[in-house]
Amino acid sequence: MSAYDNVLAARSTKKLTSLDYINALFGDSFIELHGDRNFADDKAVVGGVGMLNDIPVTVIGLEKGRNTKERMERNFGAAHPEGYRKALRLMKQAEKFHRPILCFVDTSGAFCGIGAEERGQGHAIATNLMEMMALKTPILSVFIGEGGSGGAIALAVADEVWMMENAVYSVISPEGCASILWKDSSKAAEAAECLKMTAKDLFNLGVIERILREPTAGDQKMFESMKLLICRTFEKNLAVSGEELARLRYNRFRKIGQQ
Amino acid sequence: MDLFTFIKPKNELEQGDDTTVNKPYVPDEMWVKCPDCGTLLLTTDIEENFHVCSKCNHHFRVGSRKRIDMVCDKDTFKELDADFVSKNIIDFPGYDEKLESSKRRSGEKDSVVCGTCKIDGIETVIISMTADFMMGSMGTVTGDKITRAFEYATENGLPVIAFTVSGGARMQEGILSLMQMAKTSGAVKLHSDAGLLYITVLTDPTSGGVTASFAMEGDIILAEPGALIAFAGPRVIEQTIRQKLPKDFQTAEFLQEKGFVDKVIDRRYLKETLSKLLKIHNYTEVQ
């Protein structure tokens, strides 16, 4: 599969969304919590609390929607500042109760629009990056589809970052890259190759820790093994002090591109 | 030289076809035209006026070294990590050439200059980006230098002043440049948790991954008049929402009105303001 085929697979509307994963992993225990306590409830971000086996967990996901109506409602998973602020509010709450945080990332990017700029899209993302780096509770981010630039990393300053085998994660979309560099967005396939954005590329670059086999809808056995893997990671990290976790997290990013 | 030029009488050759020769001769570098009001300004006047148009107050873009000269006490700047050089780490086509031409044009090794200096005798770490180097984009060297500058400030109990100008993360370094957003933010957080002051001065243009990381993380956020400050640039937004944007959208003044900038500040009063802010935060003169 070429890098661009991988991009198209990551964008496929048939792909499982964050809510699919949340329902499969958390079942009835999931309670959704809404709003950023400041402006609105951004439906492109779902968040809440639930039980992962016997561990209470805060779970947050960028949600694209599962049909046309939902996709419209959820702005195709492109969050506004209030979405990122809701995510941070829930993360701070998790820190208070020393609950681990599980993030699902699936977005083409943070929304580009008038309202988003007026309400400080850059500021919202920057604040998440800064605060997540110092959270004194375990964080795990799983890329399940598209990982579009700043809008993705705003939920991915984590102790470990995992990716589904067909997920992608990039500084810019291949179309955007091709149109800026070669003034020709049809060269997206070439750009996708150059950007090194597939799970395998990112693993080789030391940016992610694990590549996961992608479960299919209804394959509860695969979800169970995924749940086990997540629980083990949380158990391991819950045994580490909050200060040490934050220190390790900073070092994880500190060494990327170190001169 | 072709044959025709060769056999042309010498006096004709000197005169050439250029009709401008009879006009008074003014070398290009002596005058600058203000892009806002069109006034012709003497380069020497502009330099004395902090690269601000004396007629309409337009703030010209300045390079990182000039920026440092404008606010630092004379001969107090000491550069940190001056020898860090960007490399083509993910083998991106055309990036080597782009790095070479940027180095030549800017005389810099990367898009940021970091160091220590004194402002009215007060010691501070200073971070200064330049648009001349790949539009101030943030690659791994940029991110690493900024991170190290913050770490140096944290270790030595110094404040940080950062001048930002950037098109965002540098796509030629792929995901590794995106990671610099998290890395620099982590370094800002450690500096902040140590109770130290961080002032950002946003200059034209500051956008993308730099806006969405250390540029917006200052305790105090200043901005130059008219500067474009954005997460997504105006063209990207216009393409996304398919409508024209209002004229002053995403200017420094607009951001101040929306509550994301503490103060829009004229460059001519910048040093004075920085000095006051440092003193208010109990930083004192050192010998």
Side-chain angles (χ1 to χ4, degrees):
Chain A
M1 185 155 61
S2 78
Y4 196 60
D5 288 337
N6 208 330
V7 172
L8 296 179
R11 288 174 185 166
S12 163
T13 50
K14 291 193 191 82
K15 231 176 159 50
L16 300 180
T17 69
S18 290
L19 273 175
D20 291 324
Y21 281 95
I22 291 172
N23 291 334
L25 296 173
F26 290 85
D28 289 341
S29 77
F30 176 66
I31 298 170
E32 188 172 354
L33 303 172
H34 293 274
D36 72 339
R37 297 293 186 273
N38 193 16
F39 180 75
D41 181 49
D42 187 344
K43 290 192 173 60
V45 177
V46 289
V49 286
M51 297 295 290
L52 213 55
N53 289 340
D54 52 357
I55 309 175
V57 169
T58 288
V59 59
I60 299 160
L62 284 155
E63 173 63 34
K64 285 187 171 178
R66 289 166 292 187
N67 52 53
T68 309
K69 189 175 164 264
E70 271 186 34
R71 280 193 273 277
M72 298 282 285
E73 237 174 49
R74 299 192 181 277
N75 202 25
F76 302 84
H80 279 76
E82 50 273 22
Y84 294 111
R85 292 187 179 122
K86 165 163 82 175
L88 184 59
R89 175 178 80 84
L90 296 177
M91 288 192 264
K92 288 274 191 185
Q93 186 188 71
E95 181 184 44
K96 175 177 173 184
F97 298 104
H98 205 55
R99 272 198 297 268
I101 300 161
L102 176 60
C103 293
F104 290 109
V105 179
D106 187 15
T107 181
S108 58
F111 189 63
C112 303
I114 292 180
E117 292 289 320
E118 283 179 341
R119 298 195 290 279
Q121 189 72 284
H123 179 267
I125 294 172
T127 309
N128 277 23
L129 302 181
M130 200 170 151
E131 295 298 327
M132 284 179 84
M133 195 64 95
L135 280 181
K136 291 172 182 57
T137 197
I139 315 175
L140 171 65
S141 290
V142 183
F143 282 62
I144 57 169
E146 264 186 293
S149 198
I153 198 173
L155 287 184
V157 182
D159 308 317
E160 286 189 28
V161 176
W162 300 354
M163 277 175 88
M164 291 295 158
E165 54 197 338
N166 286 328
V168 290
Y169 187 9
S170 175
V171 65
I172 187 170
S173 72
E175 289 81 5
C177 178
S179 78
I180 295 173
L181 277 188
W182 305 308
K183 311 274 174 261
D184 183 1
S185 60
S186 66
K187 285 190 177 159
E190 217 179 313
E193 247 7 285
C194 300
L195 284 167
K196 307 268 190 295
M197 59 194 290
T198 66
K200 219 177 136 194
D201 287 330
L202 296 177
F203 185 82
N204 291 335
L205 286 168
V207 172
I208 62 167
E209 275 77 14
R210 195 187 278 275
I211 300 175
L212 298 174
R213 284 268 301 286
E214 207 155 322
T216 43
D219 188 349
Q220 203 52 38
K221 232 176 113 184
M222 277 200 77
F223 282 113
E224 285 305 321
S225 67
M226 185 178 167
K227 197 196 288 188
L228 205 68
L229 215 54
I230 297 171
C231 285
R232 258 195 233 139
T233 305
F234 280 156
E235 278 159 8
K236 183 186 80 190
N237 286 339
L238 279 168
V240 181
S241 78
E243 284 72 19
E244 180 66 4
L245 272 177
R247 198 185 63 81
L248 291 170
R249 199 178 302 132
Y250 179 61
N251 285 343
R252 177 188 184 277
F253 286 90
R254 181 70 188 79
K255 66 176 198 286
I256 301 176
Q258 190 165 11
Q259 300 304 305
Chain B
M1 190 186 283
D2 62 12
L3 188 64
F4 179 71
T5 321
F6 183 72
I7 57 172
K8 232 174 146 185
K10 197 164 181 269
N11 54 348
E12 253 185 77
L13 196 69
E14 278 170 355
Q15 188 125 12
D17 300 324
D18 195 351
T19 51
T20 59
V21 284
N22 290 329
K23 291 180 184 168
Y25 173 70
V26 181
D28 285 346
E29 57 273 20
M30 255 182 87
W31 293 93
V32 179
K33 194 173 173 181
C34 173
D36 262 8
C37 67
T39 310
L40 280 177
L41 302 156
L42 264 176
T43 319
T44 46
D45 286 352
I46 285 204
E47 255 164 46
E48 266 169 39
N49 203 33
F50 294 87
H51 294 257
V52 175
C53 171
S54 50
K55 196 160 174 216
C56 75
N57 222 14
H58 172 80
H59 282 51
F60 286 86
R61 285 183 193 169
V62 293
S64 42
R65 306 270 168 187
K66 204 166 268 173
R67 177 72 68 182
I68 290 168
D69 285 347
M70 280 178 185
V71 294
C72 297
D73 299 347
K74 207 169 176 306
D75 299 328
T76 59
F77 178 68
K78 290 192 198 84
E79 191 166 353
L80 292 166
D81 301 322
D83 53 343
F84 285 18
V85 191
S86 284
K87 285 182 280 295
N88 192 356
I89 24 180
I90 62 162
D91 218 6
F92 200 96
Y95 184 34
D96 289 302
E97 293 76 12
K98 211 157 246 176
L99 282 175
E100 273 316 306
S101 64
S102 291
K103 277 179 206 162
R104 242 177 293 129
R105 178 155 20 118
S106 64
E108 299 295 344
K109 295 194 183 74
D110 196 67
S111 59
V112 72
V113 174
C114 303
T116 60
C117 72
K118 283 178 189 168
I119 294 177
D120 285 347
I122 302 167
E123 199 179 2
T124 179
V125 165
I126 191 159
I127 294 170
S128 181
M129 302 183 86
T130 183
D132 292 336
F133 197 100
M134 293 190 75
M135 205 43 236
S137 62
M138 174 160 69
T140 48
V141 164
T142 328
D144 211 46
K145 280 173 87 168
I146 292 167
T147 302
R148 287 167 60 92
F150 272 100
E151 287 176 346
Y152 181 90
T154 309
E155 277 162 34
N156 295 283
L158 295 173
V160 176
I161 295 168
F163 293 96
T164 63
V165 51
S166 180
R170 189 177 299 163
M171 59 188 161
Q172 288 87 346
E173 292 188 21
I175 197 75
L176 300 176
S177 49
L178 190 76
M179 295 300 124
Q180 306 310 310
M181 290 170 64
K183 183 161 122 181
T184 51
S185 299
V188 173
K189 180 69 177 164
L190 290 175
H191 182 257
S192 177
D193 287 350
L196 300 165
L197 174 68
Y198 171 34
I199 302 173
T200 55
V201 185
L202 314 180
T203 78
D204 185 61
T206 296
S207 67
V210 168
T211 301
S213 62
F214 65 93
M216 280 290 170
E217 292 166 353
D219 296 302
I220 292 171
I221 302 178
L222 306 175
E224 290 201 328
L228 175 90
I229 302 157
F231 171 64
R235 248 182 314 160
V236 178
I237 298 177
E238 283 180 347
Q239 278 165 13
T240 310
I241 62 171
R242 289 167 214 282
Q243 67 183 77
K244 270 243 158 279
L245 294 169
K247 198 181 152 282
D248 65 342
F249 189 65
Q250 300 181 313
T251 57
E253 293 76 8
F254 176 88
L255 264 86
Q256 179 177 300
E257 191 187 307
K258 295 293 168 194
F260 290 97
V261 159
D262 283 294
K263 191 173 171 63
V264 176
I265 180 118
D266 190 305
R267 196 181 285 160
R268 287 164 290 191
Y269 305 110
L270 188 57
K271 181 171 183 176
E272 187 187 316
T273 310
L274 291 173
S275 166
K276 272 189 204 163
L277 284 170
L278 290 168
K279 281 173 196 147
I280 286 169
H281 289 83
N282 295 324
Y283 294 100
T284 51
E285 270 181 60
V286 284
Q287 294 316 308

